[in-house]
PDB file of all heavy atoms in Angstrom:
ATOM      1  N   ALA A  34      -0.108  -0.800 -12.501  1.00 97.00           N
ATOM      2  CA  ALA A  34      -1.258  -0.384 -11.713  1.00 97.00           C
ATOM      3  C   ALA A  34      -2.207  -1.548 -11.507  1.00 97.00           C
ATOM      4  O   ALA A  34      -2.735  -1.751 -10.388  1.00 97.00           O
ATOM      5  CB  ALA A  34      -1.965   0.789 -12.386  1.00 97.00           C
ATOM      6  N   GLU A  35      -2.441  -2.342 -12.518  1.00 97.00           N
ATOM      7  CA  GLU A  35      -3.380  -3.449 -12.403  1.00 97.00           C
ATOM      8  C   GLU A  35      -2.887  -4.475 -11.372  1.00 97.00           C
ATOM      9  O   GLU A  35      -3.646  -5.066 -10.648  1.00 97.00           O
ATOM     10  CB  GLU A  35      -3.571  -4.116 -13.748  1.00 97.00           C
ATOM     11  CG  GLU A  35      -4.326  -3.234 -14.762  1.00 97.00           C
ATOM     12  CD  GLU A  35      -3.547  -2.097 -15.378  1.00 97.00           C
ATOM     13  OE1 GLU A  35      -2.294  -2.062 -15.248  1.00 97.00           O
ATOM     14  OE2 GLU A  35      -4.147  -1.205 -15.992  1.00 97.00           O
ATOM     15  N   ALA A  36      -1.524  -4.710 -11.363  1.00 98.00           N
ATOM     16  CA  ALA A  36      -0.931  -5.651 -10.396  1.00 98.00           C
ATOM     17  C   ALA A  36      -1.127  -5.145  -9.025  1.00 98.00           C
ATOM     18  O   ALA A  36      -1.460  -5.942  -8.050  1.00 98.00           O
ATOM     19  CB  ALA A  36       0.543  -5.875 -10.720  1.00 98.00           C
ATOM     20  N   ILE A  37      -0.988  -3.861  -8.746  1.00 98.00           N
ATOM     21  CA  ILE A  37      -1.165  -3.314  -7.429  1.00 98.00           C
ATOM     22  C   ILE A  37      -2.596  -3.330  -7.033  1.00 98.00           C
ATOM     23  O   ILE A  37      -2.915  -3.636  -5.866  1.00 98.00           O
ATOM     24  CB  ILE A  37      -0.575  -1.849  -7.387  1.00 98.00           C
ATOM     25  CG1 ILE A  37       0.880  -1.857  -7.738  1.00 98.00           C
ATOM     26  CG2 ILE A  37      -0.832  -1.211  -6.012  1.00 98.00           C
ATOM     27  CD1 ILE A  37       1.769  -2.810  -6.883  1.00 98.00           C
ATOM     28  N   ILE A  38      -3.527  -3.067  -7.883  1.00 98.00           N
ATOM     29  CA  ILE A  38      -4.935  -3.123  -7.619  1.00 98.00           C
ATOM     30  C   ILE A  38      -5.321  -4.559  -7.210  1.00 98.00           C
ATOM     31  O   ILE A  38      -6.015  -4.765  -6.176  1.00 98.00           O
ATOM     32  CB  ILE A  38      -5.774  -2.681  -8.815  1.00 98.00           C
ATOM     33  CG1 ILE A  38      -5.649  -1.156  -9.080  1.00 98.00           C
ATOM     34  CG2 ILE A  38      -7.265  -3.062  -8.667  1.00 98.00           C
ATOM     35  CD1 ILE A  38      -6.187  -0.674 -10.403  1.00 98.00           C
ATOM     36  N   GLU A  39      -4.841  -5.536  -7.959  1.00 97.00           N
ATOM     37  CA  GLU A  39      -5.110  -6.924  -7.622  1.00 97.00           C
ATOM     38  C   GLU A  39      -4.611  -7.287  -6.252  1.00 97.00           C
ATOM     39  O   GLU A  39      -5.260  -7.946  -5.449  1.00 97.00           O
ATOM     40  CB  GLU A  39      -4.501  -7.866  -8.712  1.00 97.00           C
ATOM     41  CG  GLU A  39      -4.810  -9.299  -8.469  1.00 97.00           C
ATOM     42  CD  GLU A  39      -4.200 -10.174  -9.566  1.00 97.00           C
ATOM     43  OE1 GLU A  39      -4.046  -9.726 -10.704  1.00 97.00           O
ATOM     44  OE2 GLU A  39      -3.920 -11.375  -9.237  1.00 97.00           O
ATOM     45  N   LEU A  40      -3.396  -6.873  -5.966  1.00 97.00           N
ATOM     46  CA  LEU A  40      -2.799  -7.170  -4.645  1.00 97.00           C
ATOM     47  C   LEU A  40      -3.535  -6.504  -3.514  1.00 97.00           C
ATOM     48  O   LEU A  40      -3.869  -7.139  -2.539  1.00 97.00           O
ATOM     49  CB  LEU A  40      -1.364  -6.620  -4.652  1.00 97.00           C
ATOM     50  CG  LEU A  40      -0.500  -6.946  -3.439  1.00 97.00           C
ATOM     51  CD1 LEU A  40       0.974  -7.062  -3.913  1.00 97.00           C
ATOM     52  CD2 LEU A  40      -0.680  -5.966  -2.379  1.00 97.00           C
ATOM     53  N   VAL A  41      -3.970  -5.251  -3.694  1.00 97.00           N
ATOM     54  CA  VAL A  41      -4.726  -4.527  -2.672  1.00 97.00           C
ATOM     55  C   VAL A  41      -6.044  -5.188  -2.438  1.00 97.00           C
ATOM     56  O   VAL A  41      -6.490  -5.340  -1.313  1.00 97.00           O
ATOM     57  CB  VAL A  41      -4.856  -3.022  -3.077  1.00 97.00           C
ATOM     58  CG1 VAL A  41      -5.915  -2.325  -2.196  1.00 97.00           C
ATOM     59  CG2 VAL A  41      -3.490  -2.323  -2.952  1.00 97.00           C
ATOM     60  N   ARG A  42      -6.673  -5.657  -3.513  1.00 97.00           N
ATOM     61  CA  ARG A  42      -8.023  -6.288  -3.335  1.00 97.00           C
ATOM     62  C   ARG A  42      -7.909  -7.630  -2.608  1.00 97.00           C
ATOM     63  O   ARG A  42      -8.915  -8.062  -2.065  1.00 97.00           O
ATOM     64  CB  ARG A  42      -8.635  -6.522  -4.712  1.00 97.00           C
ATOM     65  CG  ARG A  42      -9.208  -5.194  -5.270  1.00 97.00           C
ATOM     66  CD  ARG A  42     -10.046  -5.388  -6.523  1.00 97.00           C
ATOM     67  NE  ARG A  42     -10.659  -4.143  -6.897  1.00 97.00           N
ATOM     68  CZ  ARG A  42     -10.945  -3.858  -8.138  1.00 97.00           C
ATOM     69  NH1 ARG A  42     -10.650  -4.706  -9.118  1.00 97.00           N
ATOM     70  NH2 ARG A  42     -11.521  -2.709  -8.431  1.00 97.00           N
ATOM     71  N   ASN A  43      -6.750  -8.235  -2.513  1.00 97.00           N
ATOM     72  CA  ASN A  43      -6.575  -9.400  -1.642  1.00 97.00           C
ATOM     73  C   ASN A  43      -6.763  -9.055  -0.207  1.00 97.00           C
ATOM     74  O   ASN A  43      -7.187  -9.894   0.593  1.00 97.00           O
ATOM     75  CB  ASN A  43      -5.164 -10.026  -1.831  1.00 97.00           C
ATOM     76  CG  ASN A  43      -5.065 -10.731  -3.198  1.00 97.00           C
ATOM     77  OD1 ASN A  43      -5.994 -11.202  -3.769  1.00 97.00           O
ATOM     78  ND2 ASN A  43      -3.809 -10.746  -3.717  1.00 97.00           N
ATOM     79  N   PHE A  44      -6.465  -7.814   0.147  1.00 96.00           N
ATOM     80  CA  PHE A  44      -6.633  -7.345   1.556  1.00 96.00           C
ATOM     81  C   PHE A  44      -7.908  -6.540   1.770  1.00 96.00           C
ATOM     82  O   PHE A  44      -8.453  -6.542   2.879  1.00 96.00           O
ATOM     83  CB  PHE A  44      -5.460  -6.447   1.958  1.00 96.00           C
ATOM     84  CG  PHE A  44      -4.161  -7.210   2.015  1.00 96.00           C
ATOM     85  CD1 PHE A  44      -3.319  -7.246   0.897  1.00 96.00           C
ATOM     86  CD2 PHE A  44      -3.783  -7.913   3.136  1.00 96.00           C
ATOM     87  CE1 PHE A  44      -2.103  -7.937   0.974  1.00 96.00           C
ATOM     88  CE2 PHE A  44      -2.595  -8.647   3.208  1.00 96.00           C
ATOM     89  CZ  PHE A  44      -1.735  -8.629   2.092  1.00 96.00           C
ATOM     90  N   ASP A  45      -8.357  -5.881   0.701  1.00 96.00           N
ATOM     91  CA  ASP A  45      -9.555  -5.022   0.768  1.00 96.00           C
ATOM     92  C   ASP A  45     -10.403  -5.316  -0.499  1.00 96.00           C
ATOM     93  O   ASP A  45     -10.277  -4.606  -1.428  1.00 96.00           O
ATOM     94  CB  ASP A  45      -9.140  -3.576   0.840  1.00 96.00           C
ATOM     95  CG  ASP A  45     -10.281  -2.600   0.821  1.00 96.00           C
ATOM     96  OD1 ASP A  45     -11.457  -3.016   0.877  1.00 96.00           O
ATOM     97  OD2 ASP A  45     -10.026  -1.364   0.744  1.00 96.00           O
ATOM     98  N   PRO A  46     -11.257  -6.339  -0.464  1.00 96.00           N
ATOM     99  CA  PRO A  46     -12.085  -6.694  -1.612  1.00 96.00           C
ATOM    100  C   PRO A  46     -12.943  -5.532  -2.124  1.00 96.00           C
ATOM    101  O   PRO A  46     -13.334  -5.511  -3.264  1.00 96.00           O
ATOM    102  CB  PRO A  46     -12.932  -7.890  -1.128  1.00 96.00           C
ATOM    103  CG  PRO A  46     -12.142  -8.455   0.014  1.00 96.00           C
ATOM    104  CD  PRO A  46     -11.490  -7.258   0.662  1.00 96.00           C
ATOM    105  N   SER A  47     -13.232  -4.563  -1.231  1.00 94.00           N
ATOM    106  CA  SER A  47     -14.108  -3.453  -1.630  1.00 94.00           C
ATOM    107  C   SER A  47     -13.288  -2.306  -2.330  1.00 94.00           C
ATOM    108  O   SER A  47     -13.879  -1.316  -2.672  1.00 94.00           O
ATOM    109  CB  SER A  47     -14.872  -2.922  -0.427  1.00 94.00           C
ATOM    110  OG  SER A  47     -13.958  -2.327   0.488  1.00 94.00           O
TER     111      SER A  47
END
Side-chain angles (χ1 to χ4, degrees):
E35 292 76 12
I37 299 308
I38 290 167
E39 182 179 334
L40 187 151
V41 167
R42 283 189 175 150
N43 288 330
F44 294 95
D45 176 7
S47 67

